[in-house]
Structure formats: C-alpha cells, structure tokens
Amino acid sequence: MCGIVGYVGDEEALPILLQKLNLLTYRGYDSAGIAVSHNGNFYVEKAQGKVGQLEQLIDYSIASGVVGLGHTRWATHGEPSRLNAHPHLDCSGRIALVHNGIVENFLSLRTQLEAEGHTFRSETDTEVLVHLVEKYYDGNVTKAVQLALQQVEGALAIVVLHKDEEDRLVAAKMDTPPLIIGLGRGENHVASDIPALLHYTNKVYVMEDGEVATITKNDVLITNFREAVQPRIYERRVMVIDWPPEVAQKGGYPHYMLKEIHEQPDTIEDTLRGRLLEDGHTDIPDLHVLPEEIRAVQRMTFVACGTAYHACLVAKHLFETVLRIPVQVDVGSEFRYRQPIIGPDEWVVAISQSGETADTIASMREGREQHAKVLAITNVVGSSVARLADGVIFTRAGPEIAVASTKAFVGQLIGVYLLLLHMAQFRPHAHADELQAMAGELPRLAGLVQRLLEDQAGVQDIAGRIAQQPACFFIGRNLDEPIALEGSLKLKEISYIQSQGYAAGELKHGTLALLEEGIPVICLATQPNVYDKMLSNVQEVMARRAWTIGLVPEGDTGSQHLMDDVLTVPRTHPWLSPVLAAVQVQLLAYHCANALERDIDQPRNLAKSVTVE
Ligand code: M6R
C-alpha cells in the first residue's frame, strides 16, 4: 500500500525523506516521489519504479528545503507510471499532495472540477484532492484541506505542502489509512508507519479518523474537518514507542523475512510474558472482559484476512473443542457484505498484524453496529483495530517488515492460546487436564522453535527441489489444515509457484485430478487424533505417484516408511503443533523463493498493509 512521509524542521528535508521512504518500501509500491520547499524554491521529482530510481532522477543542486513530503505509490486508479506517481500538484504548481487510500466519489468531483476550469494531468483519484485544496485556498492551507475533505467520500490519509506556507505541513486522516506524527525537538515528522520514524523520535501521535493536523517545526495543532472545533490538546495521546531503530533493519540477514522467522522465539516469549502465570492462569489487562461476559457468550465470530484468517481457523478448532462455543470464521471482505446474523451475547474477534486492514476493520464495525462485543488480537498498539476493539491482546512481535507474515502469525497463535486459557478459567469445560498440559508446555515452545531453526539443511534441500516444480500441494486434517492453507499461501506469495492447500480428506472430491508423477504434496500429520486417517489420504496421493513430503513430529515412524521425504518438528502438545508446523512451512517457502531468486520481502503485486477494500 502507499506510504507517506513528511518532515518540517531545520535540517535538509531531502535525505530524511528518502531514508523514511526506504523504510516504508516493505509496504509494497511501484513508483515514488518527493517535494521540498525553501524560500520559495519548490522542487518536485517522481519516478516509476524503486526509490533508487527516484534518487537517480533528483537534481541535488536545487533540491533543497527544510520542509517536504514524499510518497511510495501502490497503484489503484491508473497504471504505475511517472505521471500517476505522487506528489500531485494543483494547476498553479504551488500545492503538492500525497495520498494513501481511495477517493470513492472522484469521478463526480473530477467532472465538476474540470467544468470549473481545473486541468488534470493524471489518471489518479488523488488528483481531485489537490485541485479541491486549490479551489478552497484563500491563504490558509489548513482551512482549505478541511473544506476539501468535506466534499470527499472514501478512506484516505493525506499530507499537503503549500509553497506560500512553507513553514508547515497539513496532514489529514479520513477512515482507515494510518498516519502517524513523530514528535521531535525543533522538528516534526509524519509517516504511514512507526518504523519509518524511529531513527528520529520515539514519541508518536497516531491520528484519528477525521483529524487534520497542522505541523510546524515546534508545534502540532489537531482539529477536525467534520466539525468546527478548537485545536485539540493532543499531548495526552502521545505514545512512547520502545522499539529500537534497528528493528527496521535486516541485522545481517539477507532478507527481512528470514530475520523475522528467526525472531519467532522472542515473539512467543514476549507475547506470553506476564500474561501466562505459573499456575496456568492468565492475566490480560487489555482484554477488558468480565467473567460474567465470558460465561454468557453464546457464539464467537473470528474475522481476518490472509494469514491472520488461518490463525482464526486454528482458534475455531480449539474453542469449539475445549469450550464448546460455536465459532464461525470469516474473511473480512465477505463478512461485511453478507448481512451476518449476530445475536445477543455474541463476540466478534478480529485478528490483524497491522491493525489497519480495511476489510477487517469494516467487519469490526459491522459487529459493533449489531451490538456484539468486539475484541482484537493485533500487533500494533494505537492501530485502528486496537482502537476500535473493546478489548485487545497485543502480540508483541515488533514491527514486521516483510510482506509475507511470519512472526506476526505465530504471535497471533499465541494470542489465540491466551484467549482460550483465559476464557476457560470462567467457563465449565471437560478438558481441564489437557488444557493444563498445554499451558505447561507453552513456556517451552520458544525453545522448541529455536531448535527447529538451528537445522535448516533438510528443509533447504527439499525447497530447492520444489523450486523446480510447476505446482505444489499442502494437505492436513484437523489443526494441520489451517497450517496447510498457510504453507500454501506463503509459498505462492513469495515463490510464485502455483500452490493449493487442502483438507486432506477433500482431495478426492476433485483436486486429486491435478496430481501427477513428481508433483510435491506436503502432508502435515502432527495431530494424533486423525493420524491414521491422514496416512490413508497420503496413500491416495502415493497411488497417483505424486512426491510425498511428510511434515511430522520427531520420531514418527509411520511416515518414514510411507513418504518420499520427511520434515520433522519437535514433539509438543498437539494443540501447540501448529506453531512448529507453521515455522517449518515458512522456511520451506523462504528457501524455495530464495532458490528462485525472487524478491522475497516485496513480492510482486502485493502490499504489506492492505488499507483499501
Ligand atoms: O495486517 P493483517 O494481518 O490484517 O494482514 C492480513 C493479510 O493481508 C496478510 O496476512 C497477508 O495475507 C500476508 N501477506 C500473508 O503473508
């Protein structure tokens, strides 16, 4: 998704903007641009392609200024091109604007503005915004932005720089796309994401829906474009972030994804810390649910997108098995449009790494409108998801930079276990011993993941051979099924190999037709209660002479005789096996994509944080 940066202070803005843009590239983009201003000298440059290509085009002898903005674009309206890249300028060339999100009524606005004499140069929806600001400008850029946004429908974050008011940037947020103000000494910053700010400050203000910020080097004034309000005292909502700036660097790893895979033992320990008590009980203050609410809940709906959706599927298995609460799981993009039935005493639980995924946020709003209690498991404090929820479990994975979600997923699974243990304290259930065993095993889990990460020779070898194949399948049953889906998503996302994940018992209902000699099938068999059934499904695959690769607990003998190749995971409680199996399929996908020399951290067509529908 698009990334926005801005700076106002006493330093040269350009190097700061370029560094921040480079820190946002993980969001996915196809073009980039900057604008800086000083003493009436207004410099704008844009390029199709990477930030490096932009850097080559910039004329450094004239690109000077102590205020500026920048942008990485992920195309929605109009193809990736220099013309469609941001910043966009008004007719007079005095106003520069960058935008993340979508202007839904851009066609009618464009027709109206063209009729009023404005000349458009791009195919973007964004350009209507800068012409609207031009239309309403009468010497006060903040006011012009407020009036412009009153005409707009959609979801957006923008930053505006006016040549005639070059001591300030105006930032605004409508609906979902995130916009963060970084508060420095004698300088202030703005960016779409916190990691881009950490080199400059750890004090941040997360903008709320409807807010307009006038940012000068010594001050930030927050108002609202929907109502005439006095500038708001924002200091109370300033957060101090304790992530060190290095979290946004590769730290010696060739890719962020590999670094993040290796950070998973820390994610597990950090997410459990202080919440899982020695006696197996839990303490989760941010969750804000009362014991009587837990006893009363009749049904839970988990909503999420992509990888986070697979964490929801794990939750469904566990919550239904242990607590006997009916659980439905939905992808955010469908839930919101299918008129879901949500009765009294029902909960909607959203899972999201970024906390900014538009479809997940819309699903939470749907739940709220139908009077459900809305909870969230998310990685980003201050994100839209965190703020919308009645209660939250934060996953403490630290910033995830690679587009492919790895440590965040493992953090989400830990969040699911914590929620399960927490609720089980207040609801009668018949699995006390099992749950106690799982809780006892949880503190060992980080060490088991560490052990798995220390020997990657086997998975690297198999991945290298899968890289030569045109397609791949992942199958599993029960708690292995969500990880089969996740392994398949991870592989296709970063290697571009056609891949499908299936409930193993479903293969014979159609997909078996695709199996041919030598096609790899990763067979997950970590769940004892369906182990024999799983081996029967493997036989069906073998009969089609496909290449069977088992993913099984260490010491498993059945698979050694049956499968062509075997990957193992340390033995643990079966309910925790999804964590270890997830790490193994992440490694498989990573090494496969690496063998194919793919752009692992920024796979084609994808964005890290999907802030549009
Ligand atoms: O930030 P979120 O967890 O809400 O993101 C949801 C999906 O967009 C995300 O998990 C996506 O599927 C990943 N790229 C998968 O690796």
Side-chain angles (χ1 to χ4, degrees):
M1 286 292 113
C2 300
I4 288 177
V5 299
Y7 171 81
V8 50
D10 290 325
E11 304 289 322
E12 272 299 330
L14 186 62
I16 297 171
L17 295 173
L18 290 171
Q19 189 194 31
K20 288 199 284 197
L21 281 183
N22 275 309
L23 289 167
L24 285 184
T25 54
Y26 70 89
R27 293 166 65 87
Y29 72 110
D30 48 58
S31 49
I34 52 96
V36 289
S37 185
H38 189 47
N39 290 339
N41 170 32
F42 198 58
Y43 180 86
V44 180
E45 190 53 271
K46 338 196 240 186
Q48 185 183 345
K50 301 286 179 190
V51 174
Q53 284 156 288
L54 170 69
E55 287 171 334
Q56 284 173 12
L57 283 181
I58 291 172
D59 182 345
Y60 292 89
S61 65
I62 53 171
S64 175
V66 291
V67 58
L69 46 75
H71 190 263
T72 48
R73 175 172 187 254
W74 187 79
T76 56
H77 295 59
E79 60 175 10
S81 69
R82 185 161 185 261
L83 206 62
N84 288 334
H86 303 205
H88 288 283
L89 303 182
D90 68 318
C91 300
S92 72
R94 305 174 84 78
I95 308 170
L97 180 146
V98 290
H99 165 221
N100 173 19
I102 287 184
V103 181
E104 283 169 2
N105 58 338
F106 90 99
L107 261 183
S108 60
L109 287 172
R110 182 172 174 145
T111 309
Q112 181 192 328
L113 286 160
E114 281 176 332
E116 290 168 7
H118 292 263
T119 305
F120 281 73
R121 301 181 190 90
S122 77
E123 305 159 300
T124 64
D125 55 339
T126 302
E127 205 182 336
V128 299
L129 297 170
V130 73
H131 289 289
L132 278 173
V133 176
E134 177 183 30
K135 172 176 169 174
Y136 290 110
Y137 186 72
D138 68 355
N140 182 334
V141 63
T142 303
K143 199 169 133 210
V145 168
Q146 287 170 326
L147 293 171
L149 291 184
Q150 286 169 14
Q151 312 303 312
V152 172
E153 289 162 23
L156 53 88
I158 58 170
V159 177
V160 182
L161 169 61
H162 196 299
K163 187 178 177 179
D164 298 344
E165 294 182 64
E166 59 176 19
D167 65 333
R168 64 195 57 204
L169 294 171
V170 176
K173 174 179 156 84
M174 177 193 275
D175 210 327
T176 47
L179 204 53
I180 323 287
I181 299 171
L183 303 154
R185 287 214 180 126
E187 62 178 32
N188 284 311
H189 300 258
V190 59
S192 294
D193 215 345
I194 291 170
L197 297 169
L198 294 175
H199 280 280
Y200 306 97
T201 180
N202 65 350
K203 282 171 72 185
V204 302
Y205 175 83
V206 181
M207 290 186 71
E208 294 269 9
D209 176 25
E211 287 184 341
V212 176
T214 308
I215 307 167
T216 55
K217 68 177 187 178
N218 290 318
D219 211 357
V220 178
L221 278 184
I222 305 285
T223 51
N224 195 304
F225 76 86
R226 295 205 178 98
E227 27 179 313
V229 290
Q230 292 300 312
R232 195 163 294 164
I233 300 170
Y234 67 90
E235 281 85 352
R236 253 178 274 144
R237 284 203 357 243
V238 169
M239 295 192 300
V240 176
I241 304 293
D242 58 6
W243 297 338
E246 310 79 73
V247 292
Q249 291 165 0
K250 285 187 196 151
Y253 288 93
H255 299 99
Y256 283 113
M257 182 181 176
L258 192 60
K259 175 183 176 232
E260 288 160 5
I261 288 173
H262 279 262
E263 286 171 346
Q264 294 181 113
D266 290 342
T267 299
I268 295 170
E269 281 179 352
D270 291 346
T271 305
L272 288 174
R273 184 164 299 121
R275 286 139 165 204
L276 179 64
L277 309 178
E278 278 184 14
D279 60 2
H281 285 87
T282 54
D283 181 18
I284 315 175
D286 292 331
L287 196 54
H288 303 307
V289 281
L290 301 170
E292 51 269 33
E293 289 178 294
I294 293 174
R295 282 188 281 272
V297 63
Q298 296 293 317
R299 194 169 65 143
M300 297 169 78
T301 299
F302 282 78
V303 284
C305 305
T307 285
Y309 171 76
H310 300 146
C312 297
L313 294 176
V314 171
K316 177 178 170 69
H317 276 273
L318 292 174
F319 281 70
E320 290 192 337
T321 303
V322 177
L323 300 179
R324 308 305 296 159
I325 297 176
V327 174
Q328 64 173 11
V329 177
D330 237 313
V331 288
S333 52
E334 289 300 319
F335 182 75
R336 59 190 300 192
Y337 291 116
R338 70 167 173 77
Q339 296 180 300
I341 302 163
I342 306 173
D345 293 325
E346 295 199 7
W347 293 2
V348 170
V349 185
I351 302 187
S352 171
Q353 184 285 127
S354 61
E356 301 296 348
T357 301
D359 288 322
T360 305
I361 292 167
S363 303
M364 294 173 79
R365 290 196 177 128
E366 180 73 37
R368 160 101 347 117
E369 271 166 29
Q370 297 203 37
H371 311 293
K373 188 167 185 79
V374 178
L375 301 179
I377 297 175
T378 185
N379 196 34
V380 182
V381 177
S383 62
S384 303
V385 162
R387 282 178 289 142
L388 254 174
D390 299 314
V392 185
I393 298 179
F394 289 107
T395 50
R396 299 180 185 156
E400 192 179 63
I401 307 289
V403 164
S405 190
T406 54
K407 62 175 180 172
F409 178 62
V410 158
Q412 288 159 2
L413 294 181
I414 301 299
V416 165
Y417 297 131
L418 283 171
L419 184 59
L420 176 74
L421 287 167
H422 189 75
M423 291 178 68
Q425 294 170 118
F426 304 107
R427 279 182 79 100
H429 62 86
H431 293 271
D433 292 347
E434 277 290 278
L435 218 49
Q436 191 66 34
M438 185 192 90
E441 184 72 353
L442 264 171
R444 284 186 63 231
L445 194 58
L448 298 182
V449 170
Q450 186 59 43
R451 182 145 69 76
L452 179 57
L453 291 171
E454 277 160 15
D455 181 10
Q456 296 178 29
V459 68
Q460 202 166 350
D461 167 55
I462 291 171
R465 289 186 275 144
I466 291 176
Q468 293 156 28
Q469 298 296 326
C472 185
F473 293 83
F474 289 77
I475 58 171
R477 304 184 72 118
N478 195 270
L479 275 172
D480 282 331
E481 187 202 346
I483 308 305
L485 302 184
E486 173 60 7
S488 170
L489 176 64
K490 215 92 296 173
L491 184 73
K492 74 181 84 158
E493 181 176 25
I494 58 168
S495 75
Y496 315 148
I497 291 175
Q498 284 279 358
S499 170
Q500 297 194 35
Y502 263 95
E506 267 295 294
L507 269 191
K508 56 186 171 295
H509 298 291
T511 307
L512 215 46
L514 293 175
L515 293 193
E516 292 173 16
E517 185 167 358
I519 291 288
V521 183
I522 323 297
C523 310
L524 286 89
T526 72
Q527 297 301 307
N529 59 334
V530 287
Y531 181 78
D532 291 340
K533 304 228 171 290
M534 182 63 201
L535 291 197
S536 304
N537 297 136
V538 174
Q539 298 277 4
E540 293 160 8
V541 172
M542 288 170 62
R544 276 77 195 176
R545 307 183 65 147
W547 168 21
T548 52
I549 302 155
L551 200 164
V552 297
E554 284 168 353
D556 177 82
T557 46
S559 57
Q560 305 285 350
H561 302 303
L562 204 59
M563 317 246 199
D564 298 314
D565 283 286
V566 173
L567 293 168
T568 59
V569 291
R571 275 194 184 269
T572 185
H573 191 285
W575 291 347
L576 302 183
S577 285
V579 170
L580 295 160
V583 176
Q584 195 64 290
V585 296
Q586 292 164 359
L587 288 170
L588 190 76
Y590 172 80
H591 288 298
C592 188
N594 202 30
L596 290 166
E597 298 183 3
R598 301 298 194 221
D599 189 354
I600 290 181
D601 288 333
Q602 291 168 41
R604 67 185 182 203
N605 305 334
L606 297 182
K608 179 65 183 165
S609 181
V610 185
T611 52
V612 294
E613 269 193 54

